[in-house]
Amino acid sequence: MKEIYKKSNILTDAITHYCPGCGHGIIHNLVCEVVEELGIMEKTIAIAPVGCAVLAYDYWKFDTTEAAHGRPLAVATGIKRARPELIVFTYQGDGDLAAIGTAETVHAANRGENVTVIFVNNGVYGMTGGQMAPTTLLSQKTATCINGRNAKRDGYPLKVSEMLAVLDGVCYIERTSVHNPGAVIKTKKAIKKAFQNQIEKKGFSMVEVISQCPTYWGLSPVEAVEKIEKDIIKKVPLGVIKDV
Amino acid sequence: MSDKDKKVLITGNEVIAEAAIRAGCRFYAGYPITPQNELTAYMSRHMPEAGGVFIQAESELAAISMVFGAACVGERALTSSSSPGISLKQEGISYLAGCRLPAVIVNMSRGGPGLGNIAPGQADYFQSTRGGGHGDYRTIVLAPNCGQEFFDLTRLAFDLADEYRMPVLILGDGVLGQMAEPVKLKPGIKYEPAHQKKEWALTGNKTGKPKIIRSLYLGQGVLEKHNLELKKLYDKIEQEDVRSESFYVDDSEVVLVAFGISSRICKKVMQEARKEGVKVGMIRPITLWPYPYEIISRAAAKKVKFLVVEMNMGQMIEDVKLAVGGKAEVHFYGRTGGEMPQEKDIMEKIKQVIK
Amino acid sequence: MIKVKIDSEKCKGCNLCLMYCPKGLIKESKILNKRGICPVEFDSSKGACIGCRFCALMCPESAIEIIDE
């Protein structure tokens, strides 16, 4: 008997609290697979955010700490500076990384902290009931913009990756997605590169993963991934944004 | 004079930094704010010399979270600020308390509320002694009143933080922070990476069983259980770690109660008063939490009158009243808005109290 | 023969595996799992699995294992 595919050993067997079709589970597995393949599990520290992934430590076996909402990159800075030999990554949503944690994100990136950031962007606040996020697209409906995001009232979607890419401390940023098998494979490649950069002490690396939130997009999981293909990635194009 | 007894002239801010390094602290993150800037500047020069980490953070929110990170991996970590900055740090202090992480936080407090001013203040007493941030927790609060005590209590702060796995606050003020005094710098401890002794510190999962640092406890009864564990710890600290200093309490008509810089002024008043034959004593809480209720309560039983002197509109007086329990008179003299109590005004108040 | 093993207790019925199976070998089960969800099941009656892993890659629950017997 030959094994063709099996989930990463770093994932626990817990059933997640994520909604059906949510991209978090796919991304958790990819991070675990990458760490396993790089053989760095024994020195990896994860930082869980506040948001849907707040319980990530129940789903993976990394030594993990929580962080206050928006502060994972400050916590990561503390860990990495104190123990540069450790591999440190943050796993953050759009509210955490791009709203309440904007300052921590920008300054950690600008200092060129040698850490890896997994930025899961689904354009809504999932954990609190689907409110508008900094990355919510124009005309996208959420619990706090029921008629769709209106630039005049709500401002524009924040282009976090593009913003960070102009900073000298940043070494690598790529935007990927997990809405079809090819995209999942590309995301894994990007995550691997972001960890390899850290191993090679290259500096701040971030993968922005466009992820589906069927529940708060008001769509079935199948419709949600179709929306990414037909709509979202036309507005928020995938690809390498910076690689030095 | 032998080298052993040699003293150096050094500001309160700087002596805390030096004491921290000598106590094995190898991580400092801070953000500029007056009147504690000398501490950050000292760390920026001397922490790298000691092989430690210095970071000027983008905000107090970030600085306390950096300290949180360093504490996660077992490092002895310090941050410092002054009143408005400490308000921001309360977020991280609550998380440190919830996650059972040791860290030391210095508040060289100034006048408030709001931006207030940069003159010395003691108006952060409530904030310091009642947890300060959200949730059901305590922090140990040490209130030194001179340069030497800053040195000694800084080392103690790190020891207590590690022993109880909780944040410890050192509460000073703008005068104590910026005034230079002669201090005997005791030799440092031999630096051993603290994390090697902290079995809970994150190291990377080497055993198959992950270590998790968290303050999130969902599910019925789970958080209550966690908080009751904290309560047990706090009860122990209230039993074992109350520190205070008393003068002439058994031979006084009026007992002054003051901490920090106010206690220096009160001590002078007490000495002058006794020269004039006025029986004045003093109780100086050194730990503001746990508070020396017992000592004050015992003095109250002797029917003395209390005069609480603070640089605020009356905060510690509530703890004195709790300790006295209605058994004695409790009076107050305070200055607010960054002003200092004057000796003659305190003396005047003592005379009124005696009448 | 390549077989797709689906943990029906973990499956939340999102159907992303079903959507991307190029051979149409995954279908909705008619039996509810313990959590009251209709999971998917592997159905080799329509052809042979080619082991492309698309189903497993798309599974948010990591509930799919693929083996070659």
Side-chain angles (χ1 to χ4, degrees):
Chain A
M1 194 184 83
K2 206 178 96 198
E3 205 167 75
I4 295 178
Y5 184 87
K6 194 173 177 275
K7 76 172 175 73
S8 167
N9 287 316
I10 297 176
L11 280 181
T12 66
D13 289 323
I15 294 174
T16 70
H17 71 284
Y18 300 123
C19 306
C22 171
H24 273 303
I26 301 175
I27 303 163
H28 284 9
N29 184 44
L30 293 181
V31 173
C32 292
E33 281 184 354
V34 163
V35 169
E36 205 172 354
E37 285 167 22
L38 291 171
I40 51 173
M41 166 66 165
E42 294 193 354
K43 53 178 179 175
T44 295
I45 308 284
I47 296 153
V50 172
C52 280
V54 69
L55 292 171
Y57 42 68
D58 286 343
Y59 310 137
W60 60 40
K61 297 174 194 163
F62 299 118
D63 268 14
T64 305
T65 180
E66 68 173 28
H69 196 21
R71 319 289 170 237
L73 276 163
V75 173
T77 299
I79 295 175
K80 188 70 182 181
R81 294 283 188 109
R83 301 268 177 277
E85 69 277 13
L86 295 175
I87 299 296
V88 182
F89 80 91
T90 67
Y91 187 104
Q92 302 177 256
D94 35 281
D96 194 79
L97 180 137
I100 192 167
T102 312
E104 286 74 13
T105 304
V106 168
H107 287 277
N110 194 46
R111 287 190 302 266
E113 297 295 343
N114 187 30
V115 297
T116 301
V117 182
I118 310 299
F119 168 33
V120 180
N121 179 3
N122 59 16
V124 285
Y125 283 81
M127 193 55 137
T128 45
Q131 293 86 354
M132 182 179 68
T135 49
T136 297
L137 297 173
L138 290 177
S139 81
Q140 183 184 335
K141 290 176 183 168
T142 74
T144 49
C145 53
I146 51 169
N147 297 317
R149 185 179 192 149
N150 172 336
K152 207 167 170 189
R153 192 192 80 157
D154 309 313
Y156 295 88
L158 196 69
K159 296 175 181 168
V160 195
S161 290
E162 284 81 357
M163 252 171 61
L164 295 178
V166 301
L167 302 175
D168 292 334
V170 173
C171 130
Y172 170 63
I173 296 184
E174 181 165 352
R175 186 184 290 120
T176 67
S177 72
V178 287
H179 73 289
N180 65 40
V184 171
I185 291 166
K186 279 188 194 158
T187 296
K188 182 174 172 183
K189 232 175 107 183
I191 291 174
K192 198 165 202 172
K193 187 175 164 78
F195 274 96
Q196 254 158 350
N197 285 346
Q198 187 180 164
I199 294 166
E200 291 163 23
K201 300 184 171 63
K202 282 186 172 173
F204 190 91
S205 296
M206 181 172 99
V207 183
E208 173 183 348
V209 187
I210 304 288
S211 178
Q212 52 273 14
C213 177
T215 300
Y216 291 113
W217 294 357
L219 301 170
S220 74
V222 168
E223 290 164 342
V225 297
E226 281 170 355
K227 184 182 167 66
I228 294 181
E229 178 68 33
K230 289 180 190 149
D231 179 26
I232 296 176
I233 60 175
K234 303 267 183 330
K235 295 170 181 158
V236 193
L238 306 181
V240 176
I241 296 167
K242 184 173 191 179
D243 185 10
V244 291
Chain B
M1 193 167 71
S2 78
D3 215 34
K4 216 171 81 217
D5 301 317
K6 215 168 99 183
K7 290 185 174 181
V8 297
L9 191 66
I10 186 166
T11 66
N13 281 322
E14 290 169 309
V15 81
I16 289 181
E18 181 59 35
I21 293 169
R22 289 180 189 226
C25 168
R26 289 296 180 273
F27 189 97
Y28 174 88
Y31 183 85
I33 185 169
T34 308
Q36 64 80 54
N37 293 312
E38 296 80 7
L39 204 167
T40 313
Y42 193 94
M43 280 301 194
S44 76
R45 293 193 301 275
H46 297 281
M47 189 54 107
E49 286 169 11
V53 177
F54 167 85
I55 307 178
Q56 182 171 324
E58 60 272 27
S59 70
E60 286 90 348
L61 290 164
I64 191 78
S65 278
M66 288 172 184
V67 161
F68 179 102
C72 281
V73 289
E75 200 68 90
R76 281 194 155 181
L78 176 75
T79 185
S80 62
S81 190
S82 178
S83 310
I86 294 293
S87 294
L88 291 174
K89 286 190 201 292
Q90 294 300 342
E91 175 189 79
I93 295 171
S94 172
Y95 278 77
L96 287 163
C99 291
R100 296 282 318 271
L101 289 173
V104 177
I105 300 107
V106 177
N107 180 4
M108 286 299 175
S109 68
R110 57 189 247 182
L115 210 45
N117 60 23
I118 57 169
Q122 294 186 324
D124 297 350
Y125 181 87
F126 284 152
Q127 188 198 47
S128 309
T129 57
R130 266 61 185 167
H134 64 282
D136 224 351
Y137 76 96
R138 296 287 191 175
T139 56
I140 293 175
V141 186
L142 303 174
N145 78 350
C146 66
Q148 189 62 53
E149 238 182 28
F150 269 133
F151 185 89
D152 297 340
L153 294 187
T154 298
R155 182 174 297 184
L156 177 69
F158 281 102
D159 290 343
L160 290 172
D162 278 350
E163 183 184 348
Y164 294 116
R165 287 177 59 188
M166 66 187 283
V168 175
L169 201 72
I170 297 174
L171 182 64
D173 63 75
V175 171
L176 288 171
Q178 296 191 314
M179 177 168 60
E181 295 189 85
V183 177
K184 195 170 129 188
L185 302 175
K186 297 166 190 168
I189 59 167
K190 188 171 163 281
Y191 177 69
E192 289 170 57
H195 65 284
Q196 290 173 5
K197 285 177 273 170
K198 297 175 178 172
E199 79 293 340
W200 49 264
L202 303 184
T203 53
N205 181 353
K206 297 180 200 325
T207 58
K209 199 174 175 296
K211 283 177 276 198
I212 298 166
I213 290 175
R214 66 191 294 185
S215 65
L216 178 71
Y217 295 96
L218 301 169
Q220 191 157 13
V222 191
L223 180 60
E224 185 176 52
K225 190 166 164 260
H226 171 73
N227 286 357
L228 290 175
E229 287 296 315
L230 291 180
K231 175 75 165 61
K232 241 190 260 170
L233 190 75
Y234 300 155
D235 288 347
K236 183 169 186 275
I237 294 167
E238 285 186 318
Q239 285 298 312
E240 295 175 8
D241 287 284
V242 179
R243 286 169 170 81
S244 68
E245 196 179 24
S246 302
F247 304 89
Y248 307 114
V249 174
D250 293 331
D251 178 34
S252 290
E253 252 185 286
V254 175
V255 172
L256 300 171
V257 188
F259 71 95
I261 191 67
S262 301
S263 70
R264 295 270 288 268
I265 303 166
C266 284
K267 194 173 178 186
K268 189 79 197 304
V269 172
M270 176 187 77
Q271 286 160 346
E272 293 301 318
R274 294 194 81 88
K275 273 187 214 159
E276 290 175 28
V278 186
K279 288 192 165 179
V280 175
M282 185 169 95
I283 295 172
R284 171 172 82 97
I286 295 172
T287 50
L288 301 182
W289 191 87
Y291 195 76
Y293 291 112
E294 182 98 17
I295 286 176
I296 293 175
S297 174
R298 260 187 271 140
K302 294 189 178 109
K303 296 291 167 208
V304 297
K305 293 173 177 177
F306 290 92
L307 175 59
V308 183
V309 179
E310 299 180 73
M311 283 152 64
N312 57 47
M313 295 190 285
Q315 297 192 15
M316 184 176 72
I317 188 172
E318 295 193 2
D319 278 326
V320 175
K321 282 180 176 170
L322 269 178
V324 167
K327 281 180 276 176
E329 286 178 30
V330 181
H331 300 268
F332 180 73
Y333 179 74
R335 296 292 301 273
T336 180
E339 302 299 324
M340 307 274 291
Q342 301 298 309
E343 287 169 30
K344 64 172 177 30
D345 296 331
I346 299 171
M347 196 60 222
E348 187 79 7
K349 185 75 188 177
I350 290 171
K351 284 173 183 165
Q352 283 173 24
V353 167
I354 288 174
K355 254 187 247 163
Chain C
M1 196 179 73
I2 297 172
K3 245 178 116 175
V4 175
K5 283 170 66 183
I6 298 165
D7 185 335
S8 60
E9 288 311 319
K10 274 192 165 183
C11 177
K12 290 178 186 160
C14 74
N15 289 358
L16 293 180
C17 52
L18 185 154
M19 177 185 186
Y20 285 109
C21 177
K23 294 285 180 184
L25 302 182
I26 296 174
K27 64 171 191 187
E28 277 185 47
S29 170
K30 290 200 172 65
I31 306 158
L32 298 180
N33 70 12
K34 279 185 195 144
R35 289 182 299 153
I37 288 164
C38 264
V40 291
E41 58 187 26
F42 180 58
D43 176 11
S44 55
S45 68
K46 286 187 193 152
C49 173
I50 55 172
C52 70
R53 305 179 302 145
F54 283 9
C55 55
L57 288 172
M58 289 310 294
C59 179
E61 310 311 319
S62 297
I64 299 179
E65 247 182 78
I66 307 167
I67 49 168
D68 189 355
E69 281 185 335

